[in-house]
Amino acid sequence: MPLSTASSPRARLVASCAAAGATVALGAVLAVPATAAVIDEPLVATGDSTVTLTPIGSHDTGVFDESAAEIVAFHAGTERLFTVDANAGDIRVLDASDATAPAQLFTLSAAGIASADGSTIPAGAVANSVDVRSDGLVAVAIEAPVKTDDGWLAFFDADGAALGAVRAGALPDMVTITPNGKRAVVANEGEPSDDYDVDPEGSISVVDLPKKLGAPSQQDVATADFHEFEDALPAGVRIFAGVDGADMPVSRGLEPEYATVDPRSRTAYVTLQENNAVAVVDLASATVTDILPLGAKDHSIEGNGIDASDEDGPSAYDYEGAISIGTVPVMGLYMPDAIASYSSRGRTYLVTANEGDAREFGDYEEPVRIKDLGDDGIPPVCDGVLTESQLEDSVLGRLDVSTASGLSDDGSCYETLYSFGARSFSIWSTDGERVFDSGDDFETITAQVAPAHFNSDNDESTFDSRSDAKGPEPEAVTTGRIGSRTYAFIGLERVGGIMVYDITVPTRSTFVTYVNNRDFAADPESPEAGDLGPEGLAFIDAKDSPTGEPMLAVASEVSGTMTLFAIDVAPGGKGQGKGKDRR
């Protein structure tokens, strides 16, 4: 364990955490915050490191559990933050010149903007994502009121003036501007309708941007589709639950989620979350050149264990759950949400937050508890896969697994059980080879730091309530370079907090620190609760920062807060612990 406070064996750590969960009053762990959304003493775990992450200022929308702060982007020239308010469908613009007190200036609304294709963005269209070019060109991904219709990419300047829009694909879910500023890349998720009657194609829009502030023309938009993979889909890419009789079943079944672009601005890498894969897009030709299946994580291997039940508590305690992280005969589908990229020794690497996300539309529901396999027409577990005791609620019975993966060749039973997400972050080469995974760090570290609220949910303070699902649920990731070191910042959607790793040498990545700006003792709907449900992260380089030091901006969708964290590296510190190579 790369934790400075962890010297006991894993079994002793788990036992002590379980006992603490039953007896420790949280007031003894957390101090009462002096200011809204910033906790006086956040929960912290540190590795062998001289890097610290400290919340210094926050903006609270006052809107609870309505996605009022989702994605965040920073513009150095104006010292402004642009945050997605999915509740209002707009972009909030915050003045961050005083990092201790970011304040709202105005909002950007795309409604009424004329698009280059002749359409007009209507009321009811929703902002899903935002990015800002260095000169202040703001790009906003806009979802149509009917999500299966084509959406838009709207453009503004940093002072709020609308510049125009172009048409994108169905459900533009994420936009990023290339490092050289020449293009915008949009992941069009193409999610089906709620009744599953309509399933549009997933695609990636590649938009050539003007050199000066302004909106591109519709001719500047190219679409990278998946048509070439209809009869040549790589093995391991999950395509399932499509609309009966639909043409292009592969293209309609692939759902782009999040995009990153290599440092040279030549190639985009786009997560296909439900498909457990990454699409490779050549930007010059707007062509998907490859789809990389990500495979699965073996939770039966020591160091890859999980807590698989929310009802595993001993009768001696007055709660149902317990902290019991261990190996289990289950595979975890990585199914990443956010993805980032960086360069190490001249090679590009991809960094993924392995959230996991099941398909649930209309009458189709992919997840099922292991104990329910064999019921209601669902095939059972094959003989010999699990023992009777492992089917108990206290062991694996309540764990959610996929009904779309793991079936035997004849479809009669499940020979392999696949859970959702890997409860970790991973680093991959650009040809899809996994070179690092954080193993069971996230659950082990959060168990030590907040034992009374291990695997808590994000809209209420609970204990062990997420163990049967996706645990801490890593969702957001970004990278940042400080001096000669590169760091990954990973947001945990459920229990909350930010994990920081030194990823300078990918295969020797090490835990640096974990900080959770959350007060579990406070009313979750109050500002005193801090940050709940981190969704979007933005690294702010020291040369661009209002403070002159690097910072991290964190948008949290449940609390509706946007919090700035100061990043400090002690003189001479490298932030690299001893860690372990988890190739």
Side-chain angles (χ1 to χ4, degrees):
M1 270 293 298
L3 287 173
S4 61
T5 56
S7 58
S8 59
R10 181 181 304 275
R12 194 182 312 161
L13 170 63
V14 170
S16 64
C17 287
T23 60
V24 174
L26 202 58
V29 180
L30 295 172
V32 176
T35 58
V38 174
I39 308 304
D40 279 347
E41 296 183 15
L43 298 173
V44 177
T46 57
D48 181 11
S49 169
T50 52
V51 177
T52 58
L53 193 66
T54 306
I56 58 173
S58 187
H59 175 266
D60 186 355
T61 64
V63 180
F64 176 77
D65 205 14
E66 294 290 347
S67 299
E70 281 201 336
I71 304 300
V72 59
F74 176 74
H75 180 237
T78 57
E79 297 184 336
R80 290 174 178 173
L81 289 157
F82 296 77
T83 65
V84 172
D85 181 345
N87 176 62
D90 298 332
I91 302 295
R92 293 178 186 266
V93 183
L94 310 179
D95 177 9
S97 57
D98 178 357
T100 65
Q104 182 168 324
L105 296 173
F106 51 86
T107 61
L108 305 179
S109 175
I113 295 177
S115 173
D117 74 332
S119 64
T120 299
I121 300 178
V126 176
N128 282 335
S129 181
V130 62
D131 201 4
V132 188
R133 198 168 66 177
S134 60
D135 65 352
L137 180 64
V138 181
V140 183
I142 302 292
E143 175 186 337
V146 177
K147 71 175 182 178
T148 54
D149 292 344
D150 285 348
W152 295 266
L153 189 62
F155 295 90
F156 303 82
D157 67 22
D159 291 324
L163 302 175
V166 292
R167 210 65 191 256
L171 211 169
D173 202 36
M174 189 269 179
V175 60
T176 187
I177 294 175
T178 58
N180 65 9
K182 293 183 178 181
R183 294 185 173 101
V185 179
V186 185
N188 302 307
E189 189 168 6
E191 196 176 79
S193 59
D194 292 340
D195 59 12
Y196 229 142
D197 284 345
V198 180
D199 190 0
E201 293 183 24
S203 65
I204 297 98
S205 296
V206 180
V207 185
D208 290 336
L209 299 178
K211 293 181 179 180
K212 297 182 179 180
L213 283 177
S217 68
Q218 195 62 40
Q219 289 70 36
D220 294 319
V221 181
T223 301
D225 59 39
F226 296 99
H227 295 174
E228 296 300 318
F229 295 91
E230 290 297 334
D231 299 315
L233 189 69
V237 180
R238 301 192 331 143
I239 297 292
F240 57 98
V243 175
D244 290 341
D247 64 334
M248 298 288 181
V250 168
S251 300
R252 295 184 189 280
L254 293 173
E255 297 185 3
E257 184 80 25
Y258 208 99
T260 187
V261 177
D262 76 291
R264 295 184 177 183
S265 300
R266 295 176 179 175
T267 308
Y269 300 90
V270 183
T271 56
L272 309 172
Q273 185 172 25
E274 289 82 354
N275 314 107
N276 194 37
V278 171
V280 182
V281 183
D282 176 72
L283 296 180
S285 62
T287 302
V288 179
T289 59
D290 204 356
I291 300 177
L292 309 175
L294 299 181
K297 179 174 177 175
D298 190 346
H299 290 307
S300 71
I301 296 175
E302 185 65 29
N304 281 353
I306 61 173
D307 186 327
S309 177
D310 59 339
E311 293 187 1
D312 51 1
S315 58
Y317 301 133
D318 59 353
Y319 57 87
E320 293 184 324
I323 300 173
S324 52
I325 304 164
T327 58
V328 294
V330 174
M331 304 294 287
L333 295 165
Y334 289 98
M335 301 176 73
D337 187 329
I339 185 171
S341 57
Y342 74 108
S343 179
S344 175
R345 297 178 180 178
R347 296 184 63 186
T348 298
Y349 291 90
L350 311 176
V351 187
T352 59
N354 303 321
E355 179 196 23
D357 193 17
R359 298 194 86 181
E360 298 180 74
F361 302 104
D363 294 330
Y364 180 80
E365 294 188 9
E366 181 189 356
V368 66
R369 296 191 189 276
I370 288 177
K371 68 177 181 181
D372 293 330
L373 290 171
D375 296 340
D376 299 326
I378 302 172
V381 181
C382 296
D383 291 341
V385 173
L386 298 178
T387 65
E388 286 298 319
S389 62
Q390 287 173 328
L391 287 168
E392 296 293 326
D393 283 352
S394 60
V395 186
L396 291 174
R398 291 181 57 78
L399 181 66
D400 281 342
V401 293
S402 171
T403 54
S405 298
L407 275 170
S408 59
D409 289 340
D410 63 5
S412 64
C413 60
Y414 287 93
E415 57 186 8
T416 306
L417 300 174
Y418 290 94
S419 61
F420 299 98
R423 308 190 186 192
S424 65
F425 90 101
S426 299
I427 302 176
W428 312 79
S429 67
T430 54
D431 58 4
E433 177 190 1
R434 182 174 56 81
V435 299
F436 176 83
D437 185 86
S438 59
D440 60 10
D441 280 4
F442 291 179
E443 283 189 294
T444 302
I445 292 167
T446 54
Q448 182 178 358
V449 174
H453 289 92
F454 169 73
N455 276 353
S456 174
D457 213 333
N458 51 18
D459 56 1
E460 59 180 335
S461 294
T462 59
F463 173 77
D464 205 30
S465 63
R466 296 295 302 172
S467 290
D468 58 326
K470 293 175 280 188
E473 206 163 321
E475 166 138 354
V477 65
T478 193
T479 62
R481 189 172 179 86
I482 305 174
S484 63
R485 316 301 300 178
T486 302
Y487 298 92
F489 304 87
I490 306 100
L492 306 184
E493 182 180 8
R494 295 293 176 167
V495 70
I498 308 298
M499 291 281 179
V500 185
Y501 280 71
D502 184 330
I503 59 171
T504 307
V505 180
T507 59
R508 291 189 290 154
S509 297
T510 53
F511 170 69
V512 171
T513 190
Y514 167 69
V515 179
N516 194 349
N517 181 51
R518 177 175 182 177
D519 186 345
F520 289 96
D523 177 356
E525 297 193 34
S526 71
E528 288 74 25
D531 297 329
L532 310 178
E535 177 84 7
L537 309 178
F539 176 78
I540 302 172
D541 194 277
K543 65 180 176 58
D544 301 322
S545 170
T547 66
E549 301 294 336
M551 293 194 300
L552 183 73
V554 179
S556 297
E557 64 174 347
V558 175
S559 56
T561 53
M562 196 300 304
T563 300
L564 287 169
F565 289 73
I567 305 170
D568 181 67
V569 180
K574 293 183 178 180
Q576 182 169 351
K578 296 179 181 179
K580 51 187 171 182
D581 184 349
R582 284 200 173 111
R583 281 177 288 179

